[in-house]
Amino acid sequence: MANKNLNAAKTAKKDEFYTQMSDIEMELQHYWQHFHDKVVLCNCDDPYESNFFKYFALHFNHLGLKKLICTCYNGSPIQGDELTLSFDFGDEEPKKIAHKVVITEVKDLNGDGAVDLSDVRILLQNDKNVLSTLETGDFRSKECIELLKEADIVVTNPPFSLFREYIAQLMEYEKKFLIIGNVNAITYKEVFPLIMNNKVWFGPSISSGDRKFNVPIDYPLNAAGCGIDSNGKRFIRVKGVRWFTNLDHKKRHEELDLVCRYSPEEYPTYENYDAIEVSKTSDIPYDYSGAMGVPITFLDKYNPEQFEIIGQTQGDSGKELGLRPYDRALKKYNKSLRDGQLYYMKNGIPEKPYARVLIRNKYPRL
Ligand SMILES: C[S@@+](CC[C@H](N)C(=O)[O-])C[C@H]1O[C@@H](n2cnc3c(N)ncnc32)[C@H](O)[C@@H]1O
């Protein structure tokens, strides 16, 4: 039990990293048209620290928001300057008191434009804006679900360790959303069907490399690229970050330019599924009408008018797709062969590609 608690605490700690304003700005610029007269909820965000809260407070009037609700979880550690909202935890690490801030009016109070409209204290001088405590601030709690019901669009970076539950809840309440997650989440059995059925897709601003996130003072900085910036803030770099959304944007309707021609020599056919292996998205042939296995990063370029998604082969999903059992005699060449995973032959040796999404070109140029 003690071990279980320790592991849970470790996972919770890993969830503590904070999104940069520049990343929020780069993505949000693609969606301004969706926000007019809408209630926005940031439900994994301490308003005193979250750049999501700051972004929406600063752009409240430009976006024409009706309301901004931001909730803070009582499991989050104390980071910044809101010690007035903490209390004595004895020897335990101090934790935040769960609370919510509801903003319905943002005014430049002294009219000189110098007021930082993202400052919660200043926003709360307006009687129309309210801070109140919550029981836990857990996005799954009853009171937070009531706030979710009221919201039109949810925008945040939720804890990665709870991503499955988090997105399932958004779908259950039929909410529009724009959230940060890890690219590998698309292979989750709860998430992939949403991608395949065009209920969720990637946002346009992050499609490769890593992103910088600020972290608490006790977060280990032992990976490459971590450090302390010129303002003394600690940061880590996280690979594979993506925006997941069901808000439409222009890029997902742009056609992927296909320049390669199909040949059986260059595109091996899988031994256990009727599809060809395409190891790079840029190599998708323009003249192939059958199924193709492509890397999951294809989804950064996915246009639902151009391609159909048939399935994926991570975990058990290969079995669901009807992959044939592998030839047991080949085990001697590749000990990691397993049923439910794609493989093809190269020079008489079975090759197993990394996670693949199976797609079909809707309009091949034959
Ligand atoms: C990846 S961090 C991102 C924080 C903030 N949204 C941002 O982008 O800067 C996830 C946050 O969710 C909080 N959190 C963890 N479990 C939660 C829960 N069950 N309900 C609500 N928030 C939670 C964590 O304390 C953490 O601050």
Side-chain angles (χ1 to χ4, degrees):
M1 189 63 174
N3 252 350
K4 209 175 158 195
N5 287 342
L6 205 66
N7 286 340
K10 264 193 189 161
T11 310
K13 245 186 190 157
K14 283 206 166 148
D15 283 333
E16 288 306 326
F17 50 91
Y18 308 106
T19 313
Q20 305 268 315
M21 184 61 114
S22 53
D23 285 327
I24 297 172
E25 285 169 345
M26 273 195 310
E27 183 67 13
L28 262 296
Q29 63 177 328
H30 297 278
Y31 306 92
W32 276 45
Q33 72 277 20
H34 295 289
F35 283 88
H36 184 74
D37 209 27
K38 294 292 190 299
V39 176
V40 171
L41 173 66
C42 306
N43 57 355
C44 296
D45 295 81
D46 176 353
Y48 284 86
E49 281 168 3
S50 163
N51 283 319
F52 284 97
F53 177 81
K54 288 198 171 83
Y55 179 89
F56 287 111
L58 281 167
H59 294 91
F60 193 92
N61 296 325
H62 275 122
L63 289 169
L65 294 188
K66 189 197 254 176
K67 194 187 268 191
L68 169 61
I69 308 170
C70 199
T71 59
C72 172
Y73 175 53
N74 68 359
S76 305
I78 302 283
Q79 299 305 318
D81 58 355
E82 79 284 31
L83 289 169
T84 46
L85 286 174
S86 71
F87 54 87
D88 186 7
F89 280 80
D91 287 343
E92 275 184 46
E93 213 173 319
K95 291 277 181 337
K96 285 172 182 161
I97 292 180
H99 63 282
K100 68 169 188 222
V101 167
V102 178
I103 303 294
T104 46
E105 189 174 77
V106 174
K107 276 191 195 163
D108 181 358
L109 286 182
N110 63 4
D112 69 355
V115 174
D116 180 357
L117 296 175
S118 66
D119 187 324
V120 181
R121 275 163 291 222
I122 292 167
L123 290 167
L124 291 174
Q125 285 168 17
N126 185 332
D127 290 344
K128 294 199 174 155
N129 302 331
V130 183
L131 182 150
S132 49
T133 53
L134 294 169
E135 267 172 42
T136 66
D138 189 319
F139 68 85
R140 299 159 292 190
S141 65
K142 207 166 165 270
E143 55 189 351
C144 285
I145 288 177
E146 286 309 310
L147 297 172
L148 178 64
K149 285 184 192 163
E150 189 189 340
D152 296 302
I153 310 179
V154 180
V155 188
T156 191
N157 176 359
F160 277 18
S161 63
L162 298 175
F163 192 81
R164 286 180 168 88
E165 265 180 84
Y166 188 85
I167 201 164
Q169 181 171 293
L170 292 175
M171 298 311 295
E172 183 186 345
Y173 289 92
E174 297 181 359
K175 292 298 155 185
K176 291 286 178 196
F177 60 86
L178 177 60
I179 59 172
I180 289 181
N182 188 282
V183 67
N184 289 324
I186 74 117
T187 61
Y188 297 168
K189 66 177 188 312
E190 300 84 351
V191 179
F192 190 77
L194 303 175
I195 305 258
M196 185 164 123
N197 296 313
N198 296 313
K199 294 197 165 132
V200 176
W201 45 88
F202 284 163
S205 72
I206 307 178
S207 56
S208 62
D210 54 27
R211 295 336 275 180
K212 191 172 158 186
F213 293 89
N214 288 113
V215 289
I217 199 144
D218 56 349
Y219 200 102
L221 296 182
N222 42 21
C226 299
I228 302 177
D229 67 19
S230 54
N231 300 318
K233 285 192 168 176
R234 295 163 80 85
F235 66 88
I236 55 166
R237 290 191 173 276
V238 183
K239 284 201 172 72
V241 173
R242 293 290 186 280
W243 289 94
F244 289 72
T245 188
N246 56 3
L247 293 170
D248 202 14
H249 60 77
K250 231 166 111 193
K251 192 179 162 209
R252 68 185 286 263
H253 300 290
E254 283 171 11
E255 194 153 305
L256 178 63
D257 208 9
L258 305 179
V259 293
C260 295
R261 208 187 155 90
Y262 169 72
S263 76
E265 296 74 40
E266 285 183 59
Y267 297 91
T269 300
Y270 299 118
E271 293 292 310
N272 54 346
Y273 192 76
D274 191 9
I276 58 167
E277 157 72 3
V278 181
S279 60
K280 282 196 280 173
T281 299
S282 56
D283 289 347
I284 295 173
Y286 58 77
D287 55 351
Y288 194 78
S289 57
M292 302 179 264
V294 293
I296 59 175
T297 46
F298 157 82
L299 294 172
D300 291 317
K301 306 272 163 58
Y302 171 51
N303 167 350
E305 285 101 47
Q306 186 178 16
F307 294 102
E308 171 197 357
I309 299 179
I310 307 165
Q312 59 127 356
T313 59
Q314 273 297 89
D316 282 338
S317 34
K319 287 184 191 148
E320 284 159 30
L321 262 174
L323 263 60
R324 293 182 287 278
Y326 74 90
D327 177 353
R328 277 12 191 197
L330 295 173
K331 190 85 173 177
K332 62 177 181 238
Y333 297 112
N334 189 336
K335 289 202 169 29
S336 66
L337 277 185
R338 273 204 299 121
D339 280 338
Q341 290 182 340
L342 290 168
Y343 72 100
Y344 58 92
M345 299 303 285
K346 192 173 171 188
N347 304 325
I349 309 282
E351 290 270 334
K352 227 174 54 171
Y354 189 64
R356 290 289 181 254
V357 175
L358 288 155
I359 60 161
R360 189 176 287 120
N361 187 342
K362 288 186 173 175
Y363 305 101
R365 279 181 277 137
L366 299 171

mmCIF file of all heavy atoms in Angstrom, residues 227-242:
data_model
loop_
_atom_site.group_PDB
_atom_site.id
_atom_site.type_symbol
_atom_site.label_atom_id
_atom_site.label_comp_id
_atom_site.label_asym_id
_atom_site.label_seq_id
_atom_site.Cartn_x
_atom_site.Cartn_y
_atom_site.Cartn_z
ATOM 1 N N GLY A 227 16.569 22.832 -17.525
ATOM 2 C CA GLY A 227 17.442 23.877 -16.994
ATOM 3 C C GLY A 227 16.700 24.934 -16.213
ATOM 4 O O GLY A 227 15.537 24.746 -15.827
ATOM 5 N N ILE A 228 17.377 26.037 -15.995
ATOM 6 C CA ILE A 228 16.794 27.179 -15.282
ATOM 7 C C ILE A 228 16.966 28.383 -16.213
ATOM 8 O O ILE A 228 18.076 28.637 -16.695
ATOM 9 C CB ILE A 228 17.521 27.413 -13.939
ATOM 10 C CG1 ILE A 228 17.418 26.142 -13.093
ATOM 11 C CG2 ILE A 228 16.944 28.624 -13.200
ATOM 12 C CD1 ILE A 228 18.140 26.179 -11.769
ATOM 13 N N ASP A 229 15.858 29.077 -16.510
ATOM 14 C CA ASP A 229 15.955 30.154 -17.503
ATOM 15 C C ASP A 229 16.459 31.457 -16.880
ATOM 16 O O ASP A 229 16.749 31.518 -15.679
ATOM 17 C CB ASP A 229 14.621 30.326 -18.255
ATOM 18 C CG ASP A 229 13.503 30.828 -17.351
ATOM 19 O OD1 ASP A 229 13.807 31.376 -16.265
ATOM 20 O OD2 ASP A 229 12.332 30.660 -17.736
ATOM 21 N N SER A 230 16.531 32.503 -17.685
ATOM 22 C CA SER A 230 17.127 33.767 -17.219
ATOM 23 C C SER A 230 16.283 34.425 -16.124
ATOM 24 O O SER A 230 16.766 35.286 -15.394
ATOM 25 C CB SER A 230 17.315 34.717 -18.395
ATOM 26 O OG SER A 230 16.082 34.857 -19.056
ATOM 27 N N ASN A 231 15.004 34.015 -15.996
ATOM 28 C CA ASN A 231 14.174 34.558 -14.906
ATOM 29 C C ASN A 231 14.226 33.669 -13.668
ATOM 30 O O ASN A 231 13.442 33.847 -12.740
ATOM 31 C CB ASN A 231 12.715 34.666 -15.361
ATOM 32 C CG ASN A 231 12.569 35.575 -16.542
ATOM 33 O OD1 ASN A 231 13.192 36.643 -16.579
ATOM 34 N ND2 ASN A 231 11.770 35.163 -17.524
ATOM 35 N N GLY A 232 15.125 32.689 -13.674
ATOM 36 C CA GLY A 232 15.254 31.801 -12.517
ATOM 37 C C GLY A 232 14.189 30.722 -12.485
ATOM 38 O O GLY A 232 14.038 30.016 -11.495
ATOM 39 N N LYS A 233 13.406 30.581 -13.562
ATOM 40 C CA LYS A 233 12.347 29.558 -13.583
ATOM 41 C C LYS A 233 12.900 28.249 -14.111
ATOM 42 O O LYS A 233 13.600 28.206 -15.115
ATOM 43 C CB LYS A 233 11.196 30.018 -14.482
ATOM 44 C CG LYS A 233 10.356 31.084 -13.837
ATOM 45 C CD LYS A 233 9.090 31.273 -14.618
ATOM 46 C CE LYS A 233 8.104 32.118 -13.829
ATOM 47 N NZ LYS A 233 6.899 32.411 -14.573
ATOM 48 N N ARG A 234 12.532 27.166 -13.417
ATOM 49 C CA ARG A 234 13.000 25.845 -13.844
ATOM 50 C C ARG A 234 12.119 25.346 -14.984
ATOM 51 O O ARG A 234 10.905 25.571 -14.978
ATOM 52 C CB ARG A 234 12.920 24.861 -12.674
ATOM 53 C CG ARG A 234 13.856 25.213 -11.541
ATOM 54 C CD ARG A 234 13.442 24.491 -10.299
ATOM 55 N NE ARG A 234 13.884 23.105 -10.280
ATOM 56 C CZ ARG A 234 15.071 22.710 -9.865
ATOM 57 N NH1 ARG A 234 15.948 23.591 -9.429
ATOM 58 N NH2 ARG A 234 15.391 21.431 -9.849
ATOM 59 N N PHE A 235 12.741 24.654 -15.946
ATOM 60 C CA PHE A 235 11.952 24.128 -17.052
ATOM 61 C C PHE A 235 12.453 22.757 -17.474
ATOM 62 O O PHE A 235 13.593 22.383 -17.217
ATOM 63 C CB PHE A 235 11.959 25.094 -18.248
ATOM 64 C CG PHE A 235 13.311 25.262 -18.885
ATOM 65 C CD1 PHE A 235 13.738 24.397 -19.894
ATOM 66 C CD2 PHE A 235 14.167 26.277 -18.482
ATOM 67 C CE1 PHE A 235 14.986 24.540 -20.481
ATOM 68 C CE2 PHE A 235 15.422 26.431 -19.062
ATOM 69 C CZ PHE A 235 15.840 25.568 -20.062
ATOM 70 N N ILE A 236 11.537 22.025 -18.097
ATOM 71 C CA ILE A 236 11.900 20.749 -18.720
ATOM 72 C C ILE A 236 11.500 20.848 -20.190
ATOM 73 O O ILE A 236 10.765 21.762 -20.579
ATOM 74 C CB ILE A 236 11.167 19.549 -18.076
ATOM 75 C CG1 ILE A 236 9.645 19.763 -18.104
ATOM 76 C CG2 ILE A 236 11.646 19.304 -16.665
ATOM 77 C CD1 ILE A 236 8.847 18.520 -17.809
ATOM 78 N N ARG A 237 11.990 19.911 -20.978
ATOM 79 C CA ARG A 237 11.541 19.825 -22.373
ATOM 80 C C ARG A 237 10.843 18.487 -22.550
ATOM 81 O O ARG A 237 11.370 17.464 -22.134
ATOM 82 C CB ARG A 237 12.717 19.944 -23.330
ATOM 83 C CG ARG A 237 13.289 21.328 -23.343
ATOM 84 C CD ARG A 237 14.275 21.545 -24.460
ATOM 85 N NE ARG A 237 14.656 22.940 -24.497
ATOM 86 C CZ ARG A 237 13.960 23.887 -25.120
ATOM 87 N NH1 ARG A 237 12.880 23.572 -25.792
ATOM 88 N NH2 ARG A 237 14.346 25.141 -25.070
ATOM 89 N N VAL A 238 9.649 18.521 -23.120
ATOM 90 C CA VAL A 238 8.868 17.288 -23.265
ATOM 91 C C VAL A 238 8.688 16.989 -24.757
ATOM 92 O O VAL A 238 8.281 17.868 -25.526
ATOM 93 C CB VAL A 238 7.493 17.429 -22.575
ATOM 94 C CG1 VAL A 238 6.703 16.125 -22.670
ATOM 95 C CG2 VAL A 238 7.649 17.844 -21.120
ATOM 96 N N LYS A 239 9.007 15.761 -25.115
ATOM 97 C CA LYS A 239 8.864 15.343 -26.528
ATOM 98 C C LYS A 239 7.451 14.823 -26.776
ATOM 99 O O LYS A 239 6.786 14.361 -25.864
ATOM 100 C CB LYS A 239 9.839 14.204 -26.827
ATOM 101 C CG LYS A 239 11.259 14.639 -27.000
ATOM 102 C CD LYS A 239 12.024 13.553 -27.783
ATOM 103 C CE LYS A 239 13.409 14.009 -28.152
ATOM 104 N NZ LYS A 239 14.314 14.084 -27.011
ATOM 105 N N GLY A 240 7.044 14.851 -28.035
ATOM 106 C CA GLY A 240 5.787 14.200 -28.433
ATOM 107 C C GLY A 240 4.530 14.917 -27.974
ATOM 108 O O GLY A 240 3.475 14.296 -27.881
ATOM 109 N N VAL A 241 4.636 16.213 -27.690
ATOM 110 C CA VAL A 241 3.452 16.955 -27.237
ATOM 111 C C VAL A 241 2.571 17.308 -28.445
ATOM 112 O O VAL A 241 3.076 17.636 -29.511
ATOM 113 C CB VAL A 241 3.908 18.262 -26.534
ATOM 114 C CG1 VAL A 241 2.728 19.149 -26.203
ATOM 115 C CG2 VAL A 241 4.705 17.936 -25.288
ATOM 116 N N ARG A 242 1.267 17.203 -28.252
ATOM 117 C CA ARG A 242 0.329 17.616 -29.301
ATOM 118 C C ARG A 242 -0.884 18.297 -28.671
ATOM 119 O O ARG A 242 -1.235 18.023 -27.526
ATOM 120 C CB ARG A 242 -0.207 16.402 -30.084
ATOM 121 C CG ARG A 242 0.813 15.677 -30.923
ATOM 122 C CD ARG A 242 1.279 16.479 -32.119
ATOM 123 N NE ARG A 242 2.146 15.708 -32.976
ATOM 124 C CZ ARG A 242 3.458 15.494 -32.759
ATOM 125 N NH1 ARG A 242 4.046 16.019 -31.707
ATOM 126 N NH2 ARG A 242 4.156 14.767 -33.603
#
